[in-house]
Amino acid sequence: GIILTLSRRTVWIDARARWRAAHMKDHIIVLGNLPELAEELDRMKADYIMIVKKEEYARQIRSPRVIIGDPSSELELKNAGVQEASVILIALDNDLENMTALLRAKKLNPNARIVVVIHDENLTDIFKDAGAYQVIRIRRFIGRALASLALSNNIGGILLESVEGSSNAVKRHGYALGFFYVEKGSK
């Protein structure tokens, strides 16, 4: 049994991620199965730890930064180094799990910038009141992205959600396309 456990790659990935998290500061914590986000963060060479529920998710992600456990568990948040994280991204399967993770993360690190992806947009104010820095209403976000693609044939910038300091156009419509110019040679 011990040899089988030691030979399982995901066990080693999990152990390395837990060790790495214990030594990180100002890193990003991702709660949820988001392999595409892991790829982008790896490409950007960002310090992050991701917590996923199942071994099969860890195998899909293929990163040495994945902890296998309950993303809304206080113990697993501590194992990911939540007290030292600067940003926490929460995108779990349902809004109850999202809220549990938000409340626990906020309790353990009140200064972290916490972004939550929610499924029921009627809960937006509740998540903001609970301490979320930003609440992304996923169906509305995708709907606006698809509408923009239908009208413009591409998205030439990034979708921005209204926040306190947003321009009047963004405040009025909730989301807007933010266009930007990237100079040659810039990061």
Side-chain angles (χ1 to χ4, degrees), residues 30 32-46 48 50 52 57-63 66 89 91 138 142:
V30 179
N33 180 31
L34 300 166
E36 301 83 3
L37 177 57
E39 286 175 18
E40 282 300 308
L41 291 172
D42 284 336
R43 188 181 63 74
M44 296 171 162
K45 297 180 179 18
Y48 74 95
M50 183 176 284
V52 298
Y57 297 158
R59 282 193 297 273
Q60 289 172 352
I61 294 168
R62 294 188 202 129
S63 171
V66 179
L89 306 174
I138 193 66
I142 291 170

Side-chain angles (χ1 to χ4, degrees), residues 22-168:
H23 299 87
M24 295 174 96
K25 274 186 168 295
D26 297 325
H27 59 292
I28 301 165
I29 295 178
V30 179
L31 306 178
N33 180 31
L34 300 166
E36 301 83 3
L37 177 57
E39 286 175 18
E40 282 300 308
L41 291 172
D42 284 336
R43 188 181 63 74
M44 296 171 162
K45 297 180 179 18
D47 277 340
Y48 74 95
I49 293 292
M50 183 176 284
I51 305 176
V52 298
K53 289 181 186 178
K54 300 179 182 177
E55 279 188 49
E56 66 189 74
Y57 297 158
R59 282 193 297 273
Q60 289 172 352
I61 294 168
R62 294 188 202 129
S63 171
R65 301 169 183 269
V66 179
I67 291 174
I68 303 163
D70 178 0
S72 61
S73 157
E74 189 169 321
L75 175 62
E76 296 300 3
L77 289 170
K78 287 179 180 177
N79 287 334
V82 73
Q83 298 94 324
E84 300 295 330
S86 60
V87 178
I88 302 165
L89 306 174
I90 303 172
L92 299 171
D93 295 335
N94 65 63
D95 289 331
L96 179 59
E97 288 179 317
N98 286 331
M99 180 57 78
T100 303
L102 169 63
L103 293 173
R104 288 191 172 141
K106 195 69 177 169
K107 177 180 120 184
L108 295 169
N109 186 344
N111 298 318
R113 192 165 32 111
I114 303 176
V115 178
V116 185
V117 176
I118 64 170
H119 306 278
D120 182 352
E121 71 178 64
N122 294 321
L123 300 175
T124 303
D125 60 328
I126 294 170
F127 277 89
K128 286 190 177 193
D129 289 346
Y133 171 79
Q134 185 79 330
V135 177
I136 297 173
R137 300 167 294 181
I138 193 66
R139 294 186 63 81
R140 183 174 298 256
F141 194 82
I142 291 170
R144 300 249 169 131
L146 292 173
S148 297
L149 284 167
L151 295 175
S152 69
N153 204 25
N154 65 38
I155 296 180
I158 185 169
L159 284 168
L160 303 172
E161 188 173 1
S162 174
V163 292
E164 200 170 304
S166 299
S167 71
N168 286 335

